[in-house]
Structure formats: structure tokens, C-alpha cells
Amino acid sequence: MLLDLLAKAATERRAAALSRQRHTAYSACAPYQTVCDRHGTPRPLLSFCSNDYLGMANNPSVIDAFAEGARRYGVGSGASHLVSGHSLAHQTLESELARWMEPYIPEAKALYFCTGYMANLAVLSALGRAGATLFCDKLNHASLIDGAQLARACTKRYAHCDLGMLSERLAASESQLKLIVTDSVFSMDGDIAPMTELLELAESHDAWIVVDDAHGFGLLGERGHGVLEHFGLSSKRFIYVGTLGKAAGVAGAFVAAHQSVVEHLVNVGRPYIYTTAAPPAAAHALLTSLTLIAGNDGRQRRAHLADLIHQLRAGLQTLLTRHAETGWQLTDSRTAIQPLVVGCNAAALELSGALEVDGIRVTPIRPPTVPEGTARLRITLSAAHSSDDVSRLLASLSVLMAQREIA
Ligand SMILES: *Cc1c(COP(=O)(O)O)cnc(C)c1O
């Protein structure tokens, strides 16, 4: 019977230290957030696990814009985009995003989605028809993996950022439509895909590139325009997905691509068509968020974040050298995602629990989100953090690592 099967699965999950649970937050997303701890008691914890990289989720100007948007457009869109839910707020946001992306994708148009998950499903299922081949990095985000499954295309995976293997696979393929599919900043490792080389391969094999910039948009590039600005690339071959619930602080995502691609998505992208349009107020708030990101405010936030990344990485490197016996490792990341890879699931849970006792929150990430044996604490930094916050995390880890040695 179903309930017996589920009970058995739950027992197995617990035995493998793979049970997941949610922790209810009582206050806004911010470095100090009141959250239910493991014992169900709400208390303020210093958090290093949100993707609110620029501190926009709780920014007063963005909050005001959201409220103004709600007053002007109401709280719900009432229908899908193709029926009657497409508002001036959505349209204005799309025009602004197209203007942002046009230097990197000639003749770009942008399309706003409710979530990045849905944007990835829409792109891959609409373009990955029978006859197409998707070439996917092994460490791609779950939404790209699911999108590839939804597509009726043939899927070939290549080892993480392995250009040699990708090149061989492309050369061996006789597919009419080749799509290289990659995260820009890998969500669980923080490293950046070699976009310049990927574009060279795309050009020499007549392929297109679907790039998911969930962790680059707002952060990479002088103006925060993302990974294509960062590498100074421009090509009609890019089909760009940027998410708007992370650095932009609100919700949703967009696809920017040649106008013909966007036109195709509006017509056949089922995750775009068959869902109620996101609240127009979210789109309205995003316009303010984008203005902040591209301006001086955003530049200062990115510079502060870069300082924090440097401080954390240097501090962690010192700790790992001092406690080499732990076998814990950093990844090759220069972004706000700085995972501490501890290996076994139970060790990751235990470390996260010990930090929580100290009033610090870092969620453990376990398989299947990351490969077996690479459970980690995914530490993320935000421009809303202070240098003292980072020092507090390092001090706490230092004590825990020393205690571990004694034990
Ligand atoms: C978060 C994330 C998504 C999904 O975006 P949502 O807007 O949260 O649905 C897609 N890709 C990557 C790499 C992500 O990290």
C-alpha cells in the first residue's frame, strides 16, 4: 500500500542522513533572519544560505515599488499571458531586459517567466524537438536536467566543463540542431563556465548555447548584466536565461534571445503558455531593482561583495591548511557561492547543526543535489553581510574544527 511504501522510503532516507525539512522564517530575507531552528524554536540566526546576493529582497526602494505596483495593478494577474494576464508592467520589464541584453545578443527580445525552473523547461522543451541534440554539462542545475528530459531531443552529457569531450561529441553528431546547455556559474560549486571557449565551439560546429545565468545575472560584469558582459561576448547563438529571484531580489526569470526564438517560445513554450502570469507588481518592483543593479548602488554592492568573498576565502584557506586532516575542501570559486565540501552526508548535517548552536545558519547540501560523497555546506555571501558577519562565521568554524581534532 502507498503509505507503507512511503514509510519505508522515509526510513531509508533517515538512515542515509538524507531527510530534508523546512525551517519557517518569521522575518524578511536578511543576514539576521528569525527562523525556526532544529527544535522548532524561532530565533535570529546569522544566515549564509540565501541567494539574495545583493540584498535586494528586503531593499526599501524595491519594497516601495512592489507596493506601488500592487496598488496600480492589483495583486494577481488573473490569467495567463496569452489570455488576459499580460500587463503593462510585464511588457515594460521585458523591454528593459531586452535593452540590457541587446549588446550581447543582436536583435534580442526578452520574455518574463514566473520562475527560472519554468523558463528552463520552456526553452529546452520548445527547442529540443525530435532531431535536435542537447549537449549538457554534467553539473547542470536540476531544472536544466528536467528540461532536457521533457524535450524529445537526444541528450548527451559531457564531464564538467570538459571542452575536449564536448568538442568530440559535437564533431560526432549529425544532428540538425545542436544546443549546448550550461549553467554560467555552477550553483553548487560556484565556478564559472568557460563561455568564450564554448562560443568558439558553438561557432565551429554550428551549435547554439543555452546559458543559465541564475547566479551571474546582477553580479557579473561591470553593470551587473551578467556572464555575457563579464566575458565581453556577443552572438545570436546565445539563448540566455536570467533569474530574478536571486540577485534581483524579487521573483521570476527571463529568457533573452533572438526575437525569432522568443516568438517561438510565446507560441509553443508550454510552461509559458499554460500558467497564470506572475503578479504584475513583481514585474513593477523588478524595474526598480534593475535600476539599482545597473547603477552606482549596484556597483558598490558588487565591490563590497567581492571584498567579502576575498575575506571568506582567505580565512577558510587558512583554516583548511591548519586542519588538513579534516580532508575538507574549497571549490575553485571566485563567486559568492563558496562551498565547504566535507564529503559524507552525516558530517555535513553535523557541522550545520553545530553552527546553528552558535547562531549561524548554513544549509547542508547532499545528494542528489550534489554527487555522492561530496556533501557540503553551501556558504553564500550577500552584499547585505558585513565583514564582521564573515569574521563571526570564520571564528565559529575555527573552534568547531579545533574541537573535532581533540575528539
Ligand atoms: C535557482 C536556479 C534556477 C531556478 O530559478 P527559480 O527562479 O528559482 O525557479 C535555475 N537554474 C539555476 C542554476 C538556479 O540556481
Side-chain angles (χ1 to χ4, degrees):
M1 163 191 182
L2 175 66
L3 297 184
D4 297 326
L5 287 175
L6 299 187
K8 183 162 170 279
T11 307
E12 284 168 7
R13 270 199 303 272
R14 271 192 296 277
L18 282 174
S19 296
R20 293 157 189 260
Q21 75 188 95
R22 299 168 303 167
H23 299 271
T24 307
Y26 284 61
S27 63
C29 176
Y32 281 89
Q33 186 176 34
T34 302
V35 192
C36 275
D37 65 13
R38 256 147 253 248
H39 311 291
T41 314
R43 62 187 178 108
L45 296 175
L46 174 56
S47 161
F48 291 94
C49 31
S50 87
N51 299 310
D52 179 29
Y53 300 117
L54 294 177
M56 292 293 178
N58 194 27
N59 178 286
S61 312
V62 184
I63 294 171
D64 283 348
F66 202 110
E68 185 196 79
R71 275 192 296 273
R72 195 181 298 180
Y73 300 101
V75 290
S77 67
S80 65
H81 283 277
L82 293 180
V83 177
S84 64
H86 189 65
S87 87
L88 177 62
H90 299 124
Q91 186 59 41
T92 311
L93 176 65
E94 289 179 352
S95 308
E96 181 60 10
L97 288 166
R99 203 176 62 81
W100 274 41
M101 299 313 293
E102 159 79 17
Y104 323 109
I105 307 172
E107 294 177 68
K109 277 248 156 76
L111 190 65
Y112 179 54
F113 281 79
C114 295
T115 73
Y117 187 87
M118 292 163 79
N120 281 337
L121 292 193
V123 167
L124 296 186
S125 64
L127 299 177
R129 300 157 302 142
T133 302
L134 309 179
F135 299 86
C136 303
D137 189 291
K138 274 220 164 112
L139 294 189
N140 277 350
H141 188 259
S143 55
L144 291 172
I145 296 172
D146 293 0
Q149 275 184 3
L150 195 59
R152 274 161 298 163
C154 158
T155 298
K156 304 228 179 275
R157 299 211 295 167
Y158 57 92
H160 181 49
C161 293
D162 187 334
L163 295 165
M165 188 186 291
L166 172 59
S167 167
E168 279 169 27
R169 301 246 142 122
L170 285 165
S173 166
E174 284 170 12
S175 188
Q176 314 145 350
L177 173 61
K178 302 173 193 174
L179 288 170
I180 299 169
V181 182
T182 186
D183 281 21
S184 60
V185 176
F186 287 84
S187 55
M188 297 300 142
D189 292 75
D191 57 328
I192 304 179
M195 294 307 300
T196 307
E197 290 79 4
L198 287 175
L199 180 58
E200 278 166 15
L201 281 180
E203 276 165 353
S204 55
H205 295 278
D206 191 21
W208 292 68
I209 304 181
V210 175
V211 55
D212 175 349
D213 203 21
H215 303 278
F217 183 76
L219 298 163
L220 296 177
E222 185 53 31
R223 287 175 298 170
H225 287 190
V227 73
L228 302 182
E229 184 192 8
H230 174 79
F231 283 106
L233 299 173
S234 173
S235 169
K236 70 169 194 311
R237 295 180 183 278
F238 289 122
I239 297 163
Y240 178 95
V241 181
T243 66
L244 300 167
K246 290 173 179 161
V250 187
F254 68 99
V255 173
H258 187 277
Q259 53 189 6
S260 308
V261 174
V262 168
E263 160 87 10
H264 186 67
L265 290 179
V266 170
N267 282 277
V268 310
R270 297 170 69 91
Y272 182 75
I273 298 169
Y274 296 107
T275 195
T276 300
H284 190 72
L286 280 162
L287 286 167
T288 296
S289 178
L290 292 185
T291 307
L292 292 173
I293 287 172
N296 241 343
D297 185 286
R299 195 164 293 128
Q300 279 165 13
R301 285 167 195 257
R302 284 186 289 279
H304 175 56
L305 183 58
D307 289 344
L308 296 177
I309 294 167
H310 182 79
Q311 180 192 352
L312 176 69
R313 227 180 135 74
L316 287 174
Q317 255 150 0
T318 307
L319 287 179
L320 292 179
T321 311
R322 195 184 304 152
H323 300 284
E325 74 292 340
T326 58
W328 298 353
Q329 282 177 350
L330 290 181
T331 62
D332 183 20
S333 162
R334 282 171 297 156
T335 64
I337 302 168
Q338 290 292 335
L340 183 57
V341 182
V342 305
C344 94
N345 301 338
L349 273 184
E350 194 184 305
L351 182 58
S352 165
L355 283 169
E356 191 184 281
V357 172
D358 268 356
I360 295 175
R361 181 171 190 224
V362 189
T363 8
I365 305 280
R366 291 158 287 167
T369 311
V370 293
E372 277 313 319
T374 69
R376 63 198 66 188
L377 293 197
R378 178 176 178 271
I379 303 170
T380 53
L381 293 169
S382 164
H385 284 121
S386 68
S387 166
D388 285 350
D389 293 336
V390 173
S391 302
R392 192 174 152 205
L393 171 63
L394 287 168
S396 187
L397 279 171
S398 171
V399 171
L400 290 172
M401 288 170 91
Q403 279 169 355
R404 203 173 168 279
E405 202 166 328
I406 299 162

